[in-house]
Amino acid sequence: MKVLLVNGSPHKQGCIYTALNEVAKSLNENDIDTKIFWIGNKPIGGCIACKSCVTKGKCIFNDIVNEFLDIAINYDGFIFGTPVHWGAMAGNMASFMDRVFYADFCSNKQSFLLKPTAGVISARRAGTTATFDQINKYFALMQMPIISSRYWNIVHGTNAQEVQMDIEGMQVMRILGRNMAYFLKCKKLATEMGLKLPQQEKVNFTNFIR
């Protein structure tokens, strides 16, 4: 089993990397393979609702989003990490997640359907809980079971060294990894015993006037 951890920070080995790495260690100790996927620090444009992904099966903008979509289906679980920028998710990460999930949903690839996930947030001081709420909405819309820890999945610090000093935050990351591993093993056992995923219905789109 494999978990893909997405580093949504513009810094490749900064605060979010440090938190994700702690989660990965717990996953590895519980026999779950991991990979950290960095979205980079080049500007990522937002979704333009062109719906080209419906027929193309990927985003019309061929960038890091499509690189991620190409490999996502091969993973059993996901962790998405983002720093807090101005009281909310980093702009690049928001654009990345908008396009990833919109393209997957519209193309009906179901790369994320009922796969466990969690968000990890880092900040110098505040904005973490608002961002935690923001990121969890993506997962709920994609029918992804949200894995929790013993507290909100947040760490504090202005750099990697300070994050490592956040004793409680790092403990939360380790517990998150163990909880994710447990859920994955439960799901695998259920599948081996013949339990099938819930039946999916064709999506009905309506608006408020018809």
Side-chain angles (χ1 to χ4, degrees):
M1 291 177 286
K2 302 186 297 183
V3 170
L4 191 57
L5 301 97
V6 181
N7 180 0
S9 170
H11 306 291
K12 190 173 184 179
Q13 295 186 324
C15 298
I16 281 296
Y17 172 83
T18 303
L20 293 179
N21 200 45
E22 196 74 1
V23 179
K25 287 178 184 176
S26 279
L27 287 165
N28 297 155
E29 288 169 1
N30 286 274
D31 303 316
I32 306 295
D33 293 331
T34 58
K35 178 181 178 180
I36 294 181
F37 182 95
W38 184 44
I39 70 170
N41 52 23
K42 296 179 179 178
I44 299 174
C47 177
I48 61 171
C50 67
K51 296 189 178 179
S52 295
C53 52
V54 174
T55 54
K56 292 180 177 293
K58 60 182 181 180
C59 186
I60 194 171
F61 301 118
N62 196 26
D63 57 9
I64 196 72
V65 169
N66 282 341
E67 288 182 35
F68 179 78
L69 286 169
D70 284 342
I71 64 172
I73 198 166
N74 300 318
Y75 285 84
D76 305 293
F78 301 88
I79 305 285
F80 293 86
T82 180
V84 173
H85 286 177
W86 207 245
M89 189 187 306
N92 257 9
M93 188 57 168
S95 293
F96 175 85
M97 294 184 72
D98 283 351
R99 288 171 51 204
V100 160
F101 290 135
Y102 191 78
D104 183 83
F105 178 83
C106 287
S107 62
N108 200 34
K109 277 189 172 182
Q110 299 187 340
S111 299
F112 306 99
L113 179 64
L114 292 174
K115 292 183 179 180
T117 188
V120 167
I121 317 299
S122 78
R124 177 190 65 84
R125 190 170 179 88
T128 49
T129 55
T131 303
F132 190 54
D133 291 342
Q134 179 187 9
I135 202 169
N136 281 331
K137 290 170 184 171
Y138 288 88
F139 311 144
L141 285 169
M142 296 300 290
Q143 301 185 65
M144 301 177 77
I146 299 171
I147 306 300
S148 60
S149 185
R150 63 160 299 279
Y151 193 70
W152 292 299
N153 306 332
I154 61 178
V155 294
H156 288 92
T158 54
N159 54 50
Q161 292 73 32
E162 290 184 359
V163 168
Q164 290 173 340
M165 294 168 62
D166 182 0
I167 297 172
E168 183 176 0
M170 294 298 271
Q171 182 184 57
V172 168
M173 296 301 113
R174 292 191 296 273
I175 294 171
L176 176 61
R178 289 194 287 269
N179 289 352
M180 171 72 81
Y182 178 81
F183 186 93
L184 283 168
K185 290 177 181 179
C186 288
K187 185 180 177 185
K188 182 175 184 289
L189 182 61
T191 301
E192 290 172 349
M193 294 179 66
L195 183 63
K196 297 180 180 180
L197 293 178
Q199 179 183 350
Q200 295 295 303
E201 297 185 19
K202 183 180 179 181
V203 177
N204 292 312
F205 286 103
T206 63
N207 59 32
F208 290 111
I209 61 169
R210 60 192 174 105

